[in-house]
């Protein structure tokens, strides 16, 4: 794992566009409620901006990271550490595999050694409370598996604030079999970005929204579907 420090948030955002980050992983697998692989592809190529509601949600999530990390430490007794501002982490062998870490946490391994492993911090609204009843939503589990792949960590934790009032957290173990499938699927997607070959158009609402923005003006061209 290599740590890349960026001078500004704009530099950090630009760096994210030249690789695949943890939040991209569930989108590529088709597990995101908010974005399709088709839309993500056009974002990576700079042809589709991030939706305004996504920017707003990210801003609030960033503002609440500190209080969430503090509550996690109180609940678990684990010390947390903020990474350098605007830092991004890169896989040792795969340049396009990137991860942004909300917090590092101290983890004691079976051998008694202390490691720093990722802590992912989330905010959610009340409507999604049921998604957290038994375990973290699948999309978030995929996200942290990507983080463990990039960082080499043996485990990761997710903490969430639901509706501004309910706090939950869980540990997730590294799954190397799943990571092998995930990394292969991400590699195929990234090659599409390099070759400028968009993923197949699916019937999702998010893909339809992307198409409407990309082709907002009538040109007279007829495309056979």
């Amino acid at each position: 794992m290599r740590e890349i420090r960026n001078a500004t948030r704009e530099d950090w955002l630009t760096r994210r566009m030249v690789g695949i980050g943890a939040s991209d992983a569930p989108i590529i697998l088709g597990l995101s409620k908010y974005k399709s692989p088709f839309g993500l592809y056009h974002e990576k190529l700079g042809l589709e901006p991030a939706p305004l509601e996504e920017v707003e949600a990210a801003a609030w999530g960033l503002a609440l990271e500190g209080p969430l990390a503090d509550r996690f430490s109180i609940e678990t007794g684990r010390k947390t550490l903020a990474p350098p501002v605007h830092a991004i982490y890169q896989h040792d062998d795969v340049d396009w595999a990137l991860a942004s870490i909300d917090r590092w946490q101290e983890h004691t391994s079976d051998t008694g050694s202390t490691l720093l492993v990722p802590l992912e911090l989330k905010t959610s609204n009340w409507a999604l409370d049921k998604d957290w009843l038994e375990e973290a939503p699948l999309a978030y589990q995929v996200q942290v598996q990507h983080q463990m792949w990039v960082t080499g960590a043996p485990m990761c934790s997710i903490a969430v604030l639901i509706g501004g009032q309910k706090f939950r957290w869980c540990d997730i173990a590294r799954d190397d079999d799943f990571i092998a499938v995930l990394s292969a699927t991400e590699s195929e997607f990234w090659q599409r970005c390099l070759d400028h070959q968009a993923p197949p158009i699916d019937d999702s609402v998010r893909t339809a929204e992307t198409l409407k923005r990309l082709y907002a003006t009538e040109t007279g061209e007829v495309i056979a579907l």
Side-chain angles (χ1 to χ4, degrees):
M1 176 187 68
R2 294 187 289 272
E3 182 182 86
I4 302 171
R5 300 194 182 190
N6 300 287
T8 65
R9 180 170 175 80
E10 287 69 28
D11 292 339
W12 175 78
L13 290 169
T14 300
R15 174 75 65 173
R16 289 184 64 200
M17 289 297 103
V18 295
I20 294 176
S23 59
D24 298 327
I27 300 171
I28 293 170
L29 292 187
L31 298 174
S32 173
K33 300 176 183 179
Y34 310 107
K35 195 177 300 180
S36 68
F38 185 81
L40 179 64
Y41 164 85
H42 285 86
E43 278 189 24
K44 293 297 182 184
L45 268 61
L47 303 175
E48 166 78 340
L52 291 178
E53 64 271 18
E54 182 179 319
V55 175
E56 176 78 0
W60 277 108
L62 183 63
L64 292 171
E65 281 184 2
L68 278 170
D70 292 342
R71 177 61 182 272
F72 179 82
S73 292
I74 293 171
E75 292 278 337
T76 64
R78 303 175 191 171
K79 183 178 179 180
T80 64
L81 176 68
V85 179
H86 310 312
I88 199 165
Y89 297 89
Q90 184 180 51
H91 192 284
D92 280 333
D93 303 316
V94 184
D95 289 345
W96 53 260
L98 308 172
S100 296
I101 306 299
D102 292 337
R103 289 293 188 276
W104 294 103
Q105 59 167 317
E106 290 186 351
H107 167 68
T108 303
S109 68
D110 295 337
T111 61
S113 60
T114 300
L115 306 172
L116 288 179
V117 300
L119 167 61
E120 182 68 17
L121 302 169
K122 298 291 185 185
T123 56
S124 180
N125 62 50
W126 280 117
L128 301 178
D129 182 32
K130 62 183 183 299
D131 294 344
W132 294 86
L133 289 178
E134 297 183 1
E135 59 183 4
L138 182 57
Y140 294 152
Q141 295 188 48
V142 170
Q143 183 175 343
V144 297
Q145 289 293 339
H146 176 99
Q147 290 180 349
M148 287 184 274
W149 173 44
V150 171
T151 63
M155 60 84 69
C156 181
S157 300
I158 303 177
V160 60
L161 179 65
I162 302 172
Q165 294 178 320
K166 184 182 292 185
F167 180 82
R168 290 197 177 117
W169 69 274
C170 63
D171 291 334
I172 296 179
R174 181 186 178 102
D175 186 336
D176 285 317
D177 290 337
F178 176 77
I179 286 174
V181 175
L182 176 64
S183 59
T185 306
E186 290 183 359
S187 178
E188 179 183 352
F189 178 87
W190 186 244
Q191 192 60 49
R192 282 184 174 275
C193 294
L194 296 178
D195 295 341
H196 287 207
Q197 293 188 359
I201 296 175
D202 57 30
D203 61 354
S204 70
V205 173
R206 294 303 179 181
T207 291
E209 291 172 348
T210 297
L211 288 169
K212 288 178 182 178
R213 286 190 289 269
L214 289 172
Y215 303 102
T217 304
E218 174 63 52
T219 64
E221 181 183 4
V222 177
I223 301 175
L225 297 179

